[in-house]
C-alpha cells in the first residue's frame, strides 16, 4: 500500500490476553473481544492516536479459503488423479491412513438427519456438514439434554445453505464469523474506529465459492487460491509459507498467572453455574491445565470464559474484583 507506515511495537507493550476482564465490553452476545478487552482496546487506541479511522481486518480468510474434507467426494467425480493426490497429502499431513481420510470425507447424509444426530457425534466428527457443536466436558447433564432437544427441534425445519456439504460448511462458517465481526465492530466504534472485513464482501465470497474446492484448499499449500490472487502483490517469501501463525504459546503464557482470576470468575457463584449450565468443579480442573491444553480444549475454555463475562454483563452482576497478576509480555 503506497505511503503506508509500518508500526513495529516492542514486546511487552501489547497487553496480555485476559487483561481487563473486570471491565468488559457491553455487547449483545458473547464475543472473543470480551476475553481480552484491554488488548483489543490497545490496538484501537493506537490506531486512533495515528488518526486512523478505518481498519481493514483479515478475519474471514480461514473461513472462506479452506473447506471441509467432504470436498474430496466431489473432486473425485471431476478429476480422480487430483483427488487421489489430495487424499494422500491429507493422510501424510495428519499422520493417518488414506482410508481414514476417505472416511472423514464421506458424504455425511441428509442435513436434517446429521443435525439431529449432532449430540451423538464423536470427538473428531467435525468434518460433516459443518463444525461442531462442541459440548465441553464441564457442561452439565441438564444442559446437554437441552442442547440435544434444541438441535432435534431445529432439524425438523432445517435446510442446508448449499446442497454440497463442503460448500454449506464454508457458508455456515462465514455466517458465524460475520456475527462475531459485528460485535467486534460495536466494541471498536466508541474508540472512533470503523472495522472493515474485505473477506466478508459479497463479491469476494461469491468469487471464492465459485472456484473448485480443490483449488481453494490443499494439503500441499496454505490457501492456494489466496496465494494465486496475491501473486505479484505480496513478497514471494510470504507466499511460499507452508504454515500460519497461532496463539497457543501466547495463551499458555497468559493463562498461568491468571489462574486465580479464572477461579474467582468461574466459581460455584458464576452466572453459568447459577443457571445450571456448567459443572464448576470440572471446569476448575480444566482451568488449572489451560497452559497445557490442546487446541480444542483451549477453544472451549475461551468460549466458556466469554459466555460467563457476557452473562454477568446482561444480568447486571459486577465481575469479581480482579486478582492481581503479572502480565506476561505478548
Amino acid at each position: 500500500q503506497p505511503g503506508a507506515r509500518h508500526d513495529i511495537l516492542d514486546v511487552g507493550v501489547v497487553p496480555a490476553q485476559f487483561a481487563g476482564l473486570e471491565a468488559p465490553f457491553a455487547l449483545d452476545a458473547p464475543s472473543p473481544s470480551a476475553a481480552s478487552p484491554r488488548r483489543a482496546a490497545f490496538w484501537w487506541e493506537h490506531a486512533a492516536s495515528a488518526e486512523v479511522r478505518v481498519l481493514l481486518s483479515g478475519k474471514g480468510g480461514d473461513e472462506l479459503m479452506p473447506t471441509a474434507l467432504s470436498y474430496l467426494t466431489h473432486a473425485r467425480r471431476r478429476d480422480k488423479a487430483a483427488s487421489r493426490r489430495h487424499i494422500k497429502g491429507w493422510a501424510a499431513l495428519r499422520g493417518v491412513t488414506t482410508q481414514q481420510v476417505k472416511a472423514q470425507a464421506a458424504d455425511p447424509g441428509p442435513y436434517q438427519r446429521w443435525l439431529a444426530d449432532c449430540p451423538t457425534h464423536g470427538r473428531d466428527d467435525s468434518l460433516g456438514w459443518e463444525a461442531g457443536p462442541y459440548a465441553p466436558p464441564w457442561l452439565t447433564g441438564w444442559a446437554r439434554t437441552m442442547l440435544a432437544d434444541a438441535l432435534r427441534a431445529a432439524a425438523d425445519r432445517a435446510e442446508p445453505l448449499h446442497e454440497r456439504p463442503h460448500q454449506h460448511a464454508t457458508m455456515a462458517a462465514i455466517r458465524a464469523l460475520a456475527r462475531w465481526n459485528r460485535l467486534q465492530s460495536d466494541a471498536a466504534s466508541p474508540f472512533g474506529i470503523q472495522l472493515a472485513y474485505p473477506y466478508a464482501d459479497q463479491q469476494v465470497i461469491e468469487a471464492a465459492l465459485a472456484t473448485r474446492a480443490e483449488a481453494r484448499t490443499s494439503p500441499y499449500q496454505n490457501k492456494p487460491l489466496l496465494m494465486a490472487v496475491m501473486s505479484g502483490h505480496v513478497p514471494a517469501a510470504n507466499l511460499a509459507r507452508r504454515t500460519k501463525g497461532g496463539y497457543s504459546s501466547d495463551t499458555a503464557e497468559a493463562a498461568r498467572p491468571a489462574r486465580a482470576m479464572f477461579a474467582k470468575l468461574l466459581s460455584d457463584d458464576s452466572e453459568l453455574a447459577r443457571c445450571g449450565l456448567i459443572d464448576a468443579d470440572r471446569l476448575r480442573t480444566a482451568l488449572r491445565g489451560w497452559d497445557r491444553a490442546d487446541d480444542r480444549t483451549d477453544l472451549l475454555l475461551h468460549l466458556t470464559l466469554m459466555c460467563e463475562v457476557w452473562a454477568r454483563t446482561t444480568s447486571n452482576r459486577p465481575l469479581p474484583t480482579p486478582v492481581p497478576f503479572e502480565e506476561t509480555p505478548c
Side-chain angles (χ1 to χ4, degrees):
Q1 186 175 0
R5 189 184 82 202
H6 189 190
D7 287 352
I8 301 177
L9 304 179
D10 293 333
V11 172
V13 172
V14 182
Q17 282 200 58
F18 313 121
L21 275 174
E22 73 281 1
F25 301 114
L27 300 170
D28 295 336
S31 165
S33 300
S36 303
R38 195 181 298 168
R39 172 178 286 192
F42 172 86
W43 291 116
W44 299 330
E45 288 173 344
H46 177 77
S49 68
E51 298 185 350
V52 172
R53 292 294 172 262
V54 179
L55 286 180
L56 300 182
S57 172
K59 289 182 180 295
D62 288 341
E63 287 74 17
L64 185 60
M65 296 300 165
T67 188
L69 286 187
S70 55
Y71 84 89
L72 293 168
T73 300
H74 297 276
R76 186 174 181 274
R77 299 169 187 170
R78 292 189 293 259
D79 190 333
K80 291 184 179 181
S83 178
R84 283 195 298 268
R85 183 170 175 269
H86 276 227
I87 289 172
K88 289 180 180 179
W90 287 118
L93 192 63
R94 299 184 175 192
V96 300
T97 66
T98 55
Q99 290 302 317
Q100 287 175 295
V101 172
K102 289 178 181 179
Q104 291 177 330
D107 191 316
Y111 179 62
Q112 291 181 334
R113 187 179 69 195
W114 177 88
L115 187 61
D117 292 342
C118 269
T120 64
H121 290 174
R123 175 182 172 87
D124 297 321
D125 190 68
S126 61
L127 300 171
W129 281 93
E130 56 190 85
Y134 300 124
W138 48 87
L139 208 61
T140 63
W142 173 79
R144 291 175 184 274
T145 299
M146 183 174 63
L147 173 61
D149 291 344
L151 287 170
R152 281 193 290 267
D156 290 339
R157 58 185 183 279
E159 294 292 339
L161 301 173
H162 195 280
E163 61 181 7
R164 296 180 181 178
H166 67 275
Q167 292 285 73
H168 166 92
T170 298
M171 295 168 72
I174 292 169
R175 284 191 173 190
L177 183 70
R179 289 191 288 271
W180 277 6
N181 287 351
R182 181 183 61 81
L183 294 168
Q184 188 184 44
S185 295
D186 289 346
S189 61
F191 296 85
I193 295 295
Q194 178 184 349
L195 297 179
Y197 302 90
Y199 284 113
D201 284 352
Q202 185 72 22
Q203 292 166 312
V204 176
I205 293 172
E206 290 176 353
L209 294 182
T211 306
R212 289 183 175 182
E214 58 268 33
R216 200 165 75 232
T217 191
S218 170
Y220 301 100
Q221 188 181 28
N222 186 31
K223 303 174 184 170
L225 179 61
L226 184 58
M227 300 301 169
V229 170
M230 298 309 296
S231 178
H233 301 282
V234 172
N238 292 44
L239 295 178
R241 285 187 60 182
R242 293 289 303 276
T243 60
K244 58 165 291 180
Y247 303 94
S248 55
S249 60
D250 187 26
T251 299
E253 290 297 321
R256 280 192 288 271
R259 283 174 179 165
M261 179 187 294
F262 295 150
K264 198 170 183 180
L265 180 65
L266 294 162
S267 64
D268 293 319
D269 189 46
S270 83
E271 195 68 16
L272 298 180
R274 283 158 57 105
C275 293
L277 297 174
I278 63 168
D279 182 317
D281 289 335
R282 287 187 177 183
L283 179 55
R284 274 194 292 266
T285 300
L287 287 168
R288 284 194 291 269
W290 196 339
D291 57 323
R292 302 178 302 278
D294 55 31
D295 289 344
R296 177 191 171 94
T297 303
D298 174 69
L299 171 63
L300 293 174
L301 286 169
H302 266 107
L303 292 172
T304 303
L305 182 63
M306 68 177 71
C307 285
E308 174 65 25
V309 171
W310 175 76
R312 284 177 179 257
T313 58
T314 56
S315 61
N316 292 319
R317 283 191 65 199
L319 275 83
T321 302
V323 178
F325 72 96
E326 183 179 352
E327 293 185 21
T328 305
C330 170

